[in-house]
Amino acid sequence: MKVPLLDLKCQYQRIKQDILRVTEEIYDSQYFILGPHVEALERQMADYCHTTHAVGVSSGTDALIIALMAAGISAGDIVITTPYTFFATAGSISRMGAHPCFVDIDPATYNISPEGISAAIEGMSPLERGRLKAIIPVHLYGQCADMDPILEIAGENHLTVIEDAAQAIGAEYKGRRAGEMGDFGCFSFFPSKNLGAFGDGGMVTTSSKAFHHTLVMLRNHGSHPKYYHSLIGGNFRLDALQAAIVSIKLNYLDQWTKMRQDHAATYRSLFSQGGLEDRVMLPVEKESRHTFNQYVIRVAEKRDELRAFLLESGIGTEVYYPVPLHLQRCFSFLHYREMDFPEAERAAAQTLALPVFPELTAAQQEYVVDRIKFFYA
Ligand SMILES: *Cc1c(COP(=O)(O)O)cnc(C)c1O
């Protein structure tokens, strides 16, 4: 049996007619950049994320960049984030000339530890505290970071909070949505995210009128009105084709999320039969709405061998992420060392993402769990 990690073709077949119709309309109009389709998606996204504004941008990475720019982050500033995330989170901080200050994760959720943030701030010199400007919590795998203490720490220290919600559209924390809690929420429409475009795309959410105004200007070279530039922005624009496609798919998102959550429940019940409890740790659902962009198990032993065995058995898996960011060569100038963040390092060595895409079948899930049981038997 073949079980890919992700199968987008299946999803496309269901929405193909709607997509072909709207894309043809855009071809006929020859209006490609920003415009009514982007505005419609911005309205839809703001509603979905419970914010007053949303600004369509060119990718999730650019969402982070433009949020950092709007927050006024500049050379020499310090921004706290997690080392256990996709590269873009910390890469964006560095591209602003700012310094990422990494804080270890909670091993149960893989999200940044609020206690770790407090300790990091306490350990800073007065000079460093003066340079500390923002926190970027990441809602990893589709589950929100522990936002209440993070927001409290941010409030006490006058820090901007930029949620990296690239993996967490629709996720909730105590009834609040990803992207609604911080000053900014950053989303990605990379095809493998829960809401994917047919190319690159992203969105920044905010409920601040002033930030919204700045984001809209920055997205288009800081111009307002046209050809008058009071800010130095860039080309961070979303195009009409991507917006129209994402807009159609957003109507199905809750249904697809429910299917992912059902698969997570099925995995839980399959794994619970058969004595793997001490070998395979399942995802811990701390928050009420985990959207399972990834279904990540953790194994104490032989993760890479398991992965190779599953591949031979026709099962696609992935490691998110094999090297924590503080140990990436490009960040060697930050002088972090091995064992600086033991939880992130352990997670990088032990986690494995299993298929959890909406169209996955029960038979496929049974096969996956059966092969894992066979491997450890
Ligand atoms: C995917 C992702 C990004 C970047 O999004 P792109 O659209 O690929 O630029 C940023 N942060 C996290 C946590 C992601 O998973």
Side-chain angles (χ1 to χ4, degrees):
M1 188 186 286
K2 281 260 178 289
V3 191
L5 180 63
L6 178 65
D7 181 359
L8 289 167
K9 286 184 188 155
C10 206
Q11 184 184 80
Y12 177 54
Q13 284 314 314
R14 216 176 128 194
I15 53 177
K16 191 170 177 176
Q17 292 316 316
D18 287 346
I19 288 186
L20 291 179
R21 193 165 30 74
V22 73
T23 44
E24 189 175 11
E25 181 197 304
I26 293 167
Y27 295 146
D28 287 337
S29 78
Q30 290 293 298
Y31 193 117
F32 295 116
I33 308 292
L34 298 176
H37 286 286
V38 171
E39 283 163 26
L41 177 65
E42 288 172 343
R43 203 52 268 140
Q44 230 180 326
M45 276 290 288
D47 289 345
Y48 191 79
C49 299
H50 303 171
T51 59
T52 48
H53 305 284
V55 178
V57 293
S58 27
S59 68
T61 304
D62 286 341
L64 289 163
I65 289 276
I66 200 172
L68 286 161
M69 290 171 84
I73 305 301
S74 58
D77 289 346
I78 297 173
V79 179
I80 288 176
T81 195
T82 162
Y84 192 62
T85 174
F86 178 58
F87 178 77
T89 315
S92 304
I93 296 169
S94 276
R95 284 174 60 194
M96 305 305 298
H99 280 248
C101 167
F102 293 118
V103 165
D104 211 354
I105 54 170
D106 171 347
T109 62
Y110 308 111
N111 284 323
I112 194 166
S113 151
E115 297 77 28
I117 297 175
S118 296
I121 295 175
E122 272 159 35
M124 286 179 182
S125 68
L127 206 68
E128 284 170 327
R129 279 195 208 192
R131 289 163 53 205
L132 176 62
K133 299 288 166 59
I135 305 179
I136 309 187
V138 179
H139 306 317
L140 204 68
Y141 304 148
Q143 175 159 247
C144 287
D146 191 4
M147 290 302 289
D148 274 346
I150 293 173
L151 292 168
E152 194 180 316
I153 297 165
E156 284 163 4
N157 294 277
H158 310 289
L159 307 177
T160 303
V161 176
I162 300 171
E163 292 174 66
D164 183 340
Q167 299 183 9
I169 184 162
E172 286 180 7
Y173 175 87
K174 302 183 185 177
R176 283 167 287 162
R177 286 243 152 142
E180 155 184 22
M181 296 172 276
D183 298 284
F184 302 91
C186 298
F187 294 87
S188 164
F189 302 135
F190 186 79
S192 69
K193 310 291 171 154
N194 284 16
L195 181 63
F198 285 14
D200 280 308
M203 188 74 62
V204 185
T205 53
T206 184
S207 288
S208 151
K209 199 175 164 193
F211 279 147
H212 174 245
H213 183 69
T214 308
L215 289 167
V216 168
M217 282 175 69
L218 287 170
R219 165 175 73 177
N220 203 4
H221 293 291
S223 77
H224 183 76
K226 203 173 176 184
Y227 304 130
Y228 290 80
H229 303 261
S230 52
L231 297 169
I232 302 172
N235 173 0
F236 300 110
R237 298 177 300 242
L238 181 62
D239 69 74
L241 283 166
Q242 300 307 336
I245 290 165
V246 169
S247 183
I248 289 170
K249 291 177 79 171
L250 185 50
N251 297 317
Y252 295 87
L253 182 61
D254 283 335
Q255 197 179 316
W256 292 333
T257 297
K258 176 72 170 58
M259 291 162 94
R260 288 174 181 271
Q261 291 167 334
D262 287 348
H263 298 333
T266 301
Y267 272 134
R268 182 164 298 282
S269 108
L270 289 170
F271 275 113
S272 73
Q273 312 150 17
L276 275 180
E277 289 85 356
D278 46 350
R279 294 222 188 241
V280 179
M281 258 189 60
L282 305 183
V284 174
E285 284 175 68
K286 283 228 172 137
E287 298 318 325
S288 50
R289 197 167 195 247
H290 189 321
T291 57
F292 289 101
N293 178 238
Q294 301 298 342
Y295 185 88
V296 176
I297 61 166
R298 179 173 190 139
V299 295
E301 284 169 25
K302 299 201 177 117
R303 190 265 319 264
D304 295 335
E305 290 92 328
L306 171 64
R307 184 166 188 231
F309 172 77
L310 292 175
L311 185 65
E312 266 173 46
S313 313
I315 299 167
T317 62
E318 188 54 272
V319 174
Y320 301 107
Y321 298 89
V323 182
L325 299 186
H326 66 288
L327 300 178
Q328 296 287 352
R329 195 187 317 171
C330 67
F331 287 133
S332 61
F333 70 95
L334 295 170
H335 302 296
Y336 285 109
R337 289 204 212 107
E338 248 174 71
M339 288 320 280
D340 275 348
F341 305 109
E343 294 302 347
E345 290 169 42
R346 248 193 299 279
Q350 297 183 334
T351 54
L352 189 66
L354 304 181
V356 73
F357 60 91
E359 297 78 7
L360 188 68
T361 66
Q364 285 176 316
Q365 286 196 276
E366 280 162 27
Y367 178 64
V368 171
V369 176
D370 175 73
R371 290 295 82 193
I372 295 173
K373 285 179 182 168
F374 181 85
F375 178 80
Y376 283 114

